[in-house]
Amino acid sequence: MLFRKNTLLQEIDYNNLPRHIGIIMDGNGRWAKKRGLPRSAGHKAGAESLKKIITEANKMGIKYATVYAFSTENWKRPKQEVDYLMDLLMDYLVNAEKTLAGENVVIRAIGSRAELSEEMQRQIIKTENFTKDNTGIVMNIALNYGGRDEILNAVRNISKDAASGSIKTEDIDQELFDRYLYTASQPDVDLLIRTSGEQRLSNFMLWQVSYAELWFTPKLWPDFKPKDLHKAVLDYQNRGRRFGGV
């Protein structure tokens, strides 16, 4: 695998990459405020950072990435900002067919789609279908997503299937539960990255990050560069993962 000269890349063990990374892309608003710009400018800069980081993760050989784009709680933000975010996400999905799809990226949206506009729902299906046969990194865009809602949704569907007799209650275990999550068939998150200095999960992938290594940086998301991703992966590789053992 060929890369530009970079000492961090040379230190990375490509046989020990995190299979699945989660990213809480925090700090767009603060990035804009520091520059005397509207919050929308921060979100736009953040979208550009996302393209660069996903492209880099794909080049490195990371197989899955889930990015927190819009939470179930984000509807509480001012309507103008929510409307802008939805327009930006729509543009991102449309442009991804031309850019990230060309990088062999598989694009999926996870979260509840019922509250999204019909236009957004149609575009999600279009983008997913356009990229489903790619063989590179799978990028899950967590859109109208909440970790608690995902777990409750799984419980409801398991209950329905148990009531109909298609599954037996005694067969419900962690492996079966995984199959009812938005990330069914994907590995759990190995490395969770959060930018902007905040150190909390914010209702993100509560089941999947149970044994994830957490990596926090004070950098605001629009300032997060590929070299920062390399630092996070190197730090991950230098940790001892025991999963409750010794």
Side-chain angles (χ1 to χ4, degrees):
M1 190 176 295
L2 297 176
F3 294 96
R4 61 190 179 279
K5 288 186 177 180
N6 182 313
T7 54
L8 288 175
L9 282 172
Q10 292 170 1
E11 295 176 30
I12 290 174
D13 178 2
Y14 291 94
N15 294 313
N16 184 30
L17 292 170
R19 296 170 301 167
H20 191 166
I21 61 172
I23 307 176
I24 300 176
M25 306 177 292
D26 201 5
N28 292 339
R30 276 167 279 177
W31 182 92
K33 185 177 181 180
K34 284 175 63 177
R35 290 160 176 77
L37 299 171
R39 288 176 64 86
S40 57
H43 293 310
K44 184 175 181 181
E48 290 301 315
S49 289
L50 177 56
K51 288 181 184 178
K52 294 175 184 176
I53 296 305
I54 292 300
T55 298
E56 186 67 15
N58 192 35
K59 288 179 181 178
M60 291 172 68
I62 293 170
K63 299 301 183 185
Y64 298 90
T66 301
V67 298
Y68 212 1
F70 192 90
S71 76
T72 50
E73 291 75 30
N74 286 156
W75 295 107
K76 300 174 186 176
R77 294 186 177 190
K79 184 178 184 302
Q80 184 177 4
E81 182 175 355
V82 170
D83 290 344
Y84 179 82
L85 280 168
M86 285 297 156
D87 288 343
L88 184 65
L89 286 163
M90 174 68 80
D91 289 342
Y92 192 90
L93 289 167
V94 172
N95 292 329
E97 295 178 12
K98 305 171 186 175
T99 56
L100 291 176
E103 298 288 343
N104 203 28
V105 175
V106 179
I107 301 170
R108 297 183 65 240
I110 64 172
S112 174
R113 301 184 186 183
E115 295 78 12
L116 302 177
S117 69
E118 292 184 4
E119 183 184 15
M120 176 74 81
Q121 292 183 48
R122 287 194 298 269
Q123 184 58 50
I124 287 171
I125 294 170
K126 185 172 182 288
T127 301
E128 288 182 335
N129 286 337
F130 190 82
T131 63
K132 65 183 175 63
D133 294 326
N134 287 342
T135 57
I137 190 171
V138 175
M139 178 177 70
N140 301 312
I141 303 176
L143 177 54
N144 194 28
Y145 173 89
R148 288 182 173 181
D149 279 358
E150 179 180 28
I151 291 171
L152 286 172
N153 183 66
V155 170
R156 291 188 193 102
N157 289 327
I158 288 172
S159 298
K160 289 177 184 176
D161 287 347
S164 70
S166 58
I167 62 172
K168 298 177 180 179
T169 54
E170 57 266 29
D171 293 333
I172 299 174
D173 56 15
Q174 292 188 31
E175 183 179 350
L176 184 144
F177 194 86
D178 280 339
R179 298 203 296 269
Y180 284 81
L181 297 173
Y182 294 132
T183 53
S185 80
Q186 298 183 13
D188 284 344
V189 173
D190 294 308
L191 171 63
L192 175 65
I193 297 168
R194 181 165 189 160
T195 58
S196 87
E198 305 293 350
Q199 298 185 20
R200 54 180 177 269
L201 296 179
S202 296
N203 199 20
F204 181 62
M205 303 190 85
L206 301 178
W207 178 275
Q208 298 93 331
V209 302
S210 294
Y211 279 100
E213 297 298 320
L214 309 182
W215 195 84
F216 303 109
T217 174
K219 280 198 172 185
L220 304 176
W221 175 247
D223 292 328
F224 192 84
K225 308 298 182 187
K227 67 180 180 181
D228 298 304
L229 176 63
H230 306 155
K231 289 178 183 177
V233 170
L234 271 173
D235 190 58
Y236 163 84
Q237 292 182 340
N238 286 320
R239 298 185 188 185
R241 306 188 74 204
R242 295 181 293 276
F243 301 96
V246 294

